[in-house]
Short mmCIF file of all heavy atoms in Angstrom, two decimals:
data_model
loop_
_atom_site.label_atom_id
_atom_site.label_comp_id
_atom_site.label_asym_id
_atom_site.label_seq_id
_atom_site.Cartn_x
_atom_site.Cartn_y
_atom_site.Cartn_z
N GLU A 870 -5.39 -2.17 6.73
CA GLU A 870 -5.71 -1.07 7.63
C GLU A 870 -4.44 -0.35 8.10
O GLU A 870 -4.44 0.87 8.27
CB GLU A 870 -6.50 -1.58 8.83
CG GLU A 870 -7.96 -1.83 8.52
CD GLU A 870 -8.73 -0.56 8.20
OE1 GLU A 870 -8.46 0.48 8.86
OE2 GLU A 870 -9.57 -0.58 7.29
N GLN A 871 -3.38 -1.11 8.30
CA GLN A 871 -2.12 -0.50 8.74
C GLN A 871 -1.62 0.51 7.71
O GLN A 871 -1.17 1.61 8.06
CB GLN A 871 -1.06 -1.59 8.95
CG GLN A 871 0.34 -1.08 9.23
CD GLN A 871 0.59 -0.81 10.70
OE1 GLN A 871 -0.27 -1.10 11.52
NE2 GLN A 871 1.73 -0.25 11.03
N VAL A 872 -1.71 0.18 6.44
CA VAL A 872 -1.24 1.08 5.38
C VAL A 872 -2.11 2.34 5.36
O VAL A 872 -1.59 3.48 5.33
CB VAL A 872 -1.26 0.37 4.01
CG1 VAL A 872 -1.02 1.38 2.89
CG2 VAL A 872 -0.21 -0.73 3.96
N VAL A 873 -3.44 2.17 5.36
CA VAL A 873 -4.32 3.34 5.30
C VAL A 873 -4.15 4.19 6.56
O VAL A 873 -4.10 5.42 6.49
CB VAL A 873 -5.79 2.89 5.13
CG1 VAL A 873 -6.70 4.11 5.06
CG2 VAL A 873 -5.95 2.05 3.86
N LEU A 874 -4.03 3.54 7.71
CA LEU A 874 -3.86 4.26 8.97
C LEU A 874 -2.57 5.07 8.96
O LEU A 874 -2.56 6.26 9.34
CB LEU A 874 -3.83 3.25 10.12
CG LEU A 874 -3.62 3.77 11.53
CD1 LEU A 874 -4.80 4.63 11.96
CD2 LEU A 874 -3.42 2.61 12.51
N THR A 875 -1.48 4.46 8.54
CA THR A 875 -0.18 5.13 8.57
C THR A 875 -0.12 6.28 7.58
O THR A 875 0.44 7.35 7.88
CB THR A 875 0.93 4.11 8.26
OG1 THR A 875 0.90 3.06 9.22
CG2 THR A 875 2.29 4.78 8.28
N LYS A 876 -0.70 6.10 6.40
CA LYS A 876 -0.56 7.11 5.34
C LYS A 876 -1.68 8.14 5.32
O LYS A 876 -1.47 9.27 4.85
CB LYS A 876 -0.45 6.41 3.99
CG LYS A 876 0.80 5.54 3.86
CD LYS A 876 1.02 5.06 2.44
CE LYS A 876 2.35 4.30 2.33
NZ LYS A 876 2.63 3.86 0.93
N ASP A 877 -2.87 7.77 5.82
CA ASP A 877 -4.02 8.66 5.69
C ASP A 877 -4.66 9.05 7.01
O ASP A 877 -5.57 9.89 7.04
CB ASP A 877 -5.08 8.03 4.78
CG ASP A 877 -4.54 7.73 3.40
OD1 ASP A 877 -3.80 8.57 2.86
OD2 ASP A 877 -4.85 6.66 2.85
N GLY A 878 -4.25 8.42 8.11
CA GLY A 878 -4.78 8.80 9.40
C GLY A 878 -5.97 7.96 9.85
O GLY A 878 -6.54 7.17 9.09
N VAL A 879 -6.35 8.17 11.12
CA VAL A 879 -7.39 7.35 11.75
C VAL A 879 -8.74 7.52 11.08
O VAL A 879 -9.46 6.54 10.83
CB VAL A 879 -7.49 7.71 13.26
CG1 VAL A 879 -8.64 6.95 13.91
CG2 VAL A 879 -6.18 7.40 13.97
N GLY A 880 -9.12 8.76 10.78
CA GLY A 880 -10.42 9.00 10.16
C GLY A 880 -10.60 8.25 8.86
O GLY A 880 -11.64 7.63 8.63
N LYS A 881 -9.60 8.29 7.99
CA LYS A 881 -9.67 7.57 6.71
C LYS A 881 -9.66 6.06 6.92
O LYS A 881 -10.34 5.32 6.21
CB LYS A 881 -8.48 7.97 5.83
CG LYS A 881 -8.54 9.37 5.28
CD LYS A 881 -9.48 9.46 4.09
CE LYS A 881 -9.36 10.82 3.40
NZ LYS A 881 -10.26 10.94 2.24
N ALA A 882 -8.87 5.59 7.90
CA ALA A 882 -8.71 4.15 8.09
C ALA A 882 -9.96 3.50 8.66
O ALA A 882 -10.21 2.31 8.43
CB ALA A 882 -7.52 3.87 9.01
N PHE A 883 -10.78 4.26 9.38
CA PHE A 883 -11.97 3.68 10.01
C PHE A 883 -13.24 4.19 9.32
O PHE A 883 -13.79 3.51 8.46
CB PHE A 883 -11.96 3.96 11.52
CG PHE A 883 -10.96 3.09 12.24
CD1 PHE A 883 -9.65 3.51 12.44
CD2 PHE A 883 -11.33 1.84 12.71
CE1 PHE A 883 -8.73 2.71 13.08
CE2 PHE A 883 -10.41 1.02 13.37
CZ PHE A 883 -9.11 1.46 13.55
N ALA A 884 -13.72 5.36 9.68
CA ALA A 884 -14.95 5.85 9.07
C ALA A 884 -14.82 5.97 7.56
O ALA A 884 -15.75 5.62 6.81
CB ALA A 884 -15.31 7.21 9.68
N GLY A 885 -13.66 6.42 7.10
CA GLY A 885 -13.48 6.59 5.65
C GLY A 885 -13.58 5.29 4.89
O GLY A 885 -14.23 5.24 3.83
N VAL A 886 -12.96 4.22 5.39
CA VAL A 886 -13.02 2.93 4.70
C VAL A 886 -14.42 2.33 4.81
O VAL A 886 -14.91 1.69 3.87
CB VAL A 886 -11.96 1.98 5.26
CG1 VAL A 886 -12.12 0.58 4.68
CG2 VAL A 886 -10.56 2.50 4.96
N LEU A 887 -15.09 2.51 5.95
CA LEU A 887 -16.47 2.01 6.08
C LEU A 887 -17.40 2.70 5.09
O LEU A 887 -18.31 2.07 4.53
CB LEU A 887 -16.97 2.22 7.50
CG LEU A 887 -16.32 1.36 8.59
CD1 LEU A 887 -16.81 1.80 9.97
CD2 LEU A 887 -16.61 -0.12 8.38
N GLU A 888 -17.19 4.00 4.88
CA GLU A 888 -18.05 4.74 3.96
C GLU A 888 -17.70 4.48 2.51
O GLU A 888 -18.55 4.60 1.62
CB GLU A 888 -17.93 6.24 4.26
CG GLU A 888 -18.53 6.62 5.62
CD GLU A 888 -18.15 8.01 6.05
OE1 GLU A 888 -17.32 8.66 5.35
OE2 GLU A 888 -18.65 8.47 7.10
N ASN A 889 -16.46 4.11 2.24
CA ASN A 889 -16.00 3.89 0.86
C ASN A 889 -15.14 2.63 0.84
O ASN A 889 -13.93 2.68 0.70
CB ASN A 889 -15.19 5.10 0.39
CG ASN A 889 -14.76 4.98 -1.06
OD1 ASN A 889 -15.39 4.30 -1.85
ND2 ASN A 889 -13.66 5.63 -1.40
N PRO A 890 -15.77 1.46 0.99
CA PRO A 890 -15.01 0.22 1.17
C PRO A 890 -14.38 -0.30 -0.11
O PRO A 890 -14.84 0.01 -1.22
CB PRO A 890 -16.08 -0.77 1.67
CG PRO A 890 -17.36 -0.25 1.09
CD PRO A 890 -17.23 1.24 1.08
N PRO A 891 -13.32 -1.09 0.02
CA PRO A 891 -12.72 -1.74 -1.15
C PRO A 891 -13.68 -2.78 -1.73
O PRO A 891 -14.59 -3.25 -1.05
CB PRO A 891 -11.46 -2.39 -0.58
CG PRO A 891 -11.76 -2.58 0.87
CD PRO A 891 -12.63 -1.43 1.26
N ASN A 892 -13.43 -3.14 -2.99
CA ASN A 892 -14.32 -4.03 -3.72
C ASN A 892 -13.80 -5.44 -3.89
O ASN A 892 -14.56 -6.32 -4.31
CB ASN A 892 -14.58 -3.47 -5.14
CG ASN A 892 -15.25 -2.13 -5.13
OD1 ASN A 892 -16.04 -1.83 -4.25
ND2 ASN A 892 -14.92 -1.30 -6.12
N SER A 893 -12.52 -5.65 -3.64
CA SER A 893 -11.92 -6.91 -4.08
C SER A 893 -10.78 -7.33 -3.17
O SER A 893 -10.20 -6.51 -2.44
CB SER A 893 -11.37 -6.75 -5.51
OG SER A 893 -10.33 -5.78 -5.53
N SER A 894 -10.43 -8.61 -3.23
CA SER A 894 -9.27 -9.08 -2.50
C SER A 894 -8.00 -8.44 -3.05
O SER A 894 -7.03 -8.24 -2.30
CB SER A 894 -9.17 -10.61 -2.58
OG SER A 894 -8.99 -11.06 -3.92
N TYR A 895 -8.00 -8.07 -4.33
CA TYR A 895 -6.85 -7.38 -4.92
C TYR A 895 -6.56 -6.07 -4.17
O TYR A 895 -5.42 -5.75 -3.85
CB TYR A 895 -7.12 -7.10 -6.40
CG TYR A 895 -6.21 -6.08 -7.04
CD1 TYR A 895 -4.88 -6.37 -7.31
CD2 TYR A 895 -6.69 -4.81 -7.38
CE1 TYR A 895 -4.04 -5.44 -7.89
CE2 TYR A 895 -5.86 -3.87 -7.96
CZ TYR A 895 -4.54 -4.18 -8.22
OH TYR A 895 -3.72 -3.25 -8.80
N GLU A 896 -7.61 -5.30 -3.87
CA GLU A 896 -7.42 -4.03 -3.17
C GLU A 896 -6.98 -4.24 -1.73
O GLU A 896 -6.18 -3.47 -1.19
CB GLU A 896 -8.70 -3.21 -3.22
CG GLU A 896 -9.03 -2.70 -4.61
CD GLU A 896 -10.43 -2.12 -4.68
OE1 GLU A 896 -11.40 -2.89 -4.63
OE2 GLU A 896 -10.54 -0.88 -4.78
N ILE A 897 -7.50 -5.31 -1.09
CA ILE A 897 -7.07 -5.62 0.27
C ILE A 897 -5.59 -6.01 0.27
O ILE A 897 -4.80 -5.56 1.12
CB ILE A 897 -7.91 -6.75 0.88
CG1 ILE A 897 -9.36 -6.29 1.06
CG2 ILE A 897 -7.33 -7.22 2.20
CD1 ILE A 897 -9.56 -5.18 2.04
N MET A 898 -5.19 -6.84 -0.69
CA MET A 898 -3.82 -7.33 -0.75
C MET A 898 -2.87 -6.29 -1.32
O MET A 898 -1.65 -6.40 -1.16
CB MET A 898 -3.78 -8.62 -1.57
CG MET A 898 -4.59 -9.75 -0.93
SD MET A 898 -4.94 -11.14 -2.04
CE MET A 898 -3.31 -11.90 -2.13
N THR A 899 -3.41 -5.28 -2.00
CA THR A 899 -2.60 -4.19 -2.57
C THR A 899 -3.23 -2.87 -2.13
O THR A 899 -3.92 -2.20 -2.90
CB THR A 899 -2.55 -4.28 -4.11
OG1 THR A 899 -2.31 -5.61 -4.51
CG2 THR A 899 -1.47 -3.37 -4.68
N PRO A 900 -3.01 -2.46 -0.89
CA PRO A 900 -3.69 -1.26 -0.37
C PRO A 900 -3.47 -0.01 -1.21
O PRO A 900 -4.36 0.85 -1.29
CB PRO A 900 -3.09 -1.10 1.03
CG PRO A 900 -2.62 -2.47 1.41
CD PRO A 900 -2.16 -3.10 0.14
N GLU A 901 -2.30 0.10 -1.86
CA GLU A 901 -2.05 1.29 -2.67
C GLU A 901 -3.02 1.36 -3.85
O GLU A 901 -3.35 2.46 -4.31
CB GLU A 901 -0.60 1.29 -3.18
CG GLU A 901 0.42 1.59 -2.09
CD GLU A 901 0.18 2.93 -1.41
OE1 GLU A 901 -0.24 3.89 -2.09
OE2 GLU A 901 0.41 3.02 -0.19
N ALA A 902 -3.48 0.21 -4.34
CA ALA A 902 -4.47 0.22 -5.41
C ALA A 902 -5.77 0.84 -4.92
O ALA A 902 -6.43 1.61 -5.64
CB ALA A 902 -4.71 -1.19 -5.92
N TYR A 903 -6.13 0.51 -3.69
CA TYR A 903 -7.34 1.12 -3.10
C TYR A 903 -7.14 2.61 -2.88
O TYR A 903 -8.00 3.43 -3.24
CB TYR A 903 -7.65 0.43 -1.77
CG TYR A 903 -8.67 1.18 -0.94
CD1 TYR A 903 -10.03 1.05 -1.21
CD2 TYR A 903 -8.27 2.02 0.11
CE1 TYR A 903 -10.96 1.76 -0.46
CE2 TYR A 903 -9.19 2.72 0.86
CZ TYR A 903 -10.55 2.58 0.58
OH TYR A 903 -11.47 3.28 1.32
N ARG A 904 -6.00 2.99 -2.31
CA ARG A 904 -5.76 4.39 -1.98
C ARG A 904 -5.74 5.27 -3.24
O ARG A 904 -6.18 6.42 -3.21
CB ARG A 904 -4.44 4.56 -1.24
CG ARG A 904 -4.43 3.91 0.15
CD ARG A 904 -3.10 4.19 0.89
NE ARG A 904 -2.92 5.60 1.15
CZ ARG A 904 -2.02 6.35 0.55
NH1 ARG A 904 -1.19 5.83 -0.35
NH2 ARG A 904 -1.91 7.64 0.84
N ARG A 905 -5.27 4.71 -4.34
CA ARG A 905 -5.14 5.49 -5.58
C ARG A 905 -6.33 5.28 -6.51
O ARG A 905 -6.32 5.76 -7.65
CB ARG A 905 -3.84 5.12 -6.29
CG ARG A 905 -2.59 5.43 -5.46
CD ARG A 905 -1.33 4.91 -6.14
NE ARG A 905 -0.15 5.16 -5.32
CZ ARG A 905 1.07 4.70 -5.62
NH1 ARG A 905 1.26 3.97 -6.72
NH2 ARG A 905 2.09 4.96 -4.83
N HIS A 906 -7.32 4.52 -6.06
CA HIS A 906 -8.51 4.23 -6.87
C HIS A 906 -8.14 3.57 -8.19
O HIS A 906 -8.69 3.89 -9.25
CB HIS A 906 -9.32 5.50 -7.13
CG HIS A 906 -9.69 6.24 -5.87
ND1 HIS A 906 -10.53 5.72 -4.92
CD2 HIS A 906 -9.32 7.47 -5.40
CE1 HIS A 906 -10.67 6.58 -3.92
NE2 HIS A 906 -9.93 7.65 -4.18
N VAL A 907 -7.17 2.65 -8.13
CA VAL A 907 -6.78 1.93 -9.33
C VAL A 907 -7.92 1.02 -9.77
O VAL A 907 -8.52 0.31 -8.97
CB VAL A 907 -5.51 1.09 -9.06
CG1 VAL A 907 -5.17 0.21 -10.26
CG2 VAL A 907 -4.34 2.01 -8.72
N ALA A 908 -8.21 1.03 -11.05
CA ALA A 908 -9.30 0.22 -11.58
C ALA A 908 -8.96 -1.27 -11.47
O ALA A 908 -7.84 -1.68 -11.76
CB ALA A 908 -9.57 0.57 -13.04
N VAL A 909 -9.93 -2.05 -11.05
CA VAL A 909 -9.79 -3.51 -11.01
C VAL A 909 -10.57 -4.06 -12.21
O VAL A 909 -11.79 -4.04 -12.22
CB VAL A 909 -10.35 -4.10 -9.70
CG1 VAL A 909 -10.15 -5.60 -9.67
CG2 VAL A 909 -9.69 -3.44 -8.50
#
């Protein structure tokens, strides 16, 4: 959440992530993979 909050703002870090949540522990542990929609 700190990464998304810092780089994308409050809206993306809260409502945005709830509406479009990560799929895997990989995305949680590598937030940039989530932000860039890297395929898992």
Side-chain angles (χ1 to χ4, degrees):
E870 282 294 321
Q871 173 86 6
V872 170
V873 181
L874 178 66
T875 301
K876 296 190 175 182
D877 301 319
V879 176
K881 289 282 190 180
F883 286 90
V886 173
L887 291 173
E888 292 167 354
N889 184 25
N892 298 328
S893 63
S894 62
Y895 164 72
E896 291 169 288
I897 294 295
M898 296 165 73
T899 315
E901 288 302 324
Y903 167 81
R904 294 184 63 250
R905 298 174 182 174
H906 306 295
V907 174
V909 182

